[in-house]
Amino acid sequence: MNMTIAQIMKKMIAFSEGNVHDIDHFMKVWTYAKTIGELEQIDEKTQYILEVAAITHDIACPLCRVKYGNTNGKYQEEEGGSLVTEFLSDTGMTKEQISRVAYLVGHHHTLTAIEGMDYQILIEADYIVNATESGYSRENVENFVEKIMKTDSGKEIARGILLLD
């Protein structure tokens, strides 16, 4: 039986070793991903994968800070897949489930060839949080909403939070 989302959240908080920025970030991404997924009425299995991926999407950040001196998205993608595979190995998830989460973690900064609602929603949720944390320009946000976002719920949430008309 799979660990619950709350159990995976607790495990990821412990993994973060008190880094409040990292914990706050994945908690916010998870909240938006969960909300968008539920509003879009994705199936329960996909919702679970989405939420696990949202919680673990930046698992490589601590390693990247040490190894590269920054958390560049490409470094996160390169390092994240294997880290999350090991992290999830004792959660009761199937190899297929872990593989999908690892794929999502390994592609969460890749905005081309987005396949699957879990991938689409993860991209949308992470962007919303990154935009609020980093103060993206209105033009950048509008461009992302228009060209990358596909879900009505994600677009609506982004417009509401980022004050777009």
Side-chain angles (χ1 to χ4, degrees):
M1 188 159 122
N2 289 352
M3 273 188 178
T4 65
I5 293 299
Q7 290 169 320
I8 292 172
M9 183 78 71
K10 179 181 165 192
K11 182 176 166 92
M12 191 63 191
I13 290 168
F15 179 88
S16 299
E17 297 181 333
N19 185 316
V20 176
H21 173 270
D22 286 359
I23 295 166
D24 284 351
H25 178 81
F26 77 71
M27 294 285 280
K28 289 186 276 186
V29 173
W30 169 72
T31 301
Y32 290 125
K34 176 177 175 50
T35 302
I36 295 167
E38 289 179 3
L39 289 171
E40 294 295 317
Q41 300 178 340
I42 65 175
D43 67 86
E44 193 176 309
K45 290 177 182 177
T46 305
Q47 182 75 28
Y48 181 79
I49 295 298
L50 168 63
E51 291 186 39
V52 172
I55 292 164
T56 60
H57 77 283
D58 279 350
I59 195 166
C61 285
L63 172 66
C64 290
R65 285 186 194 102
V66 171
K67 188 172 180 177
Y68 305 105
N70 65 65
T71 58
N72 176 284
K74 286 298 162 200
Y75 295 148
Q76 289 180 45
E77 289 182 338
E78 286 172 22
E79 303 287 352
S82 60
L83 286 173
V84 81
T85 298
E86 184 177 331
F87 179 83
L88 296 174
S89 66
D90 65 349
T91 61
M93 293 173 67
T94 65
K95 287 186 184 204
E96 181 182 81
Q97 288 174 312
I98 292 172
S99 177
R100 181 61 180 171
V101 172
Y103 178 83
L104 296 173
V105 169
H107 290 82
H108 78 277
H109 284 281
T110 302
L111 305 180
T112 56
I114 296 172
E115 215 172 283
M117 285 299 284
D118 48 4
Y119 189 173
Q120 180 65 45
I121 294 169
L122 178 61
I123 291 286
E124 293 180 11
D126 193 34
Y127 181 85
I128 291 167
V129 176
N130 288 334
T132 60
E133 290 177 348
S134 300
Y136 291 177
S137 71
R138 183 181 183 97
E139 181 182 4
N140 180 301
V141 173
E142 287 175 344
N143 185 52
F144 190 89
V145 169
E146 180 185 316
K147 293 188 170 136
I148 304 297
M149 287 192 158
K150 302 284 186 253
T151 70
D152 291 337
S153 303
K155 289 177 183 180
E156 203 173 318
I157 288 168
R159 287 185 177 111
I161 291 169
L162 303 169
L163 302 174
L164 300 179
D165 296 330

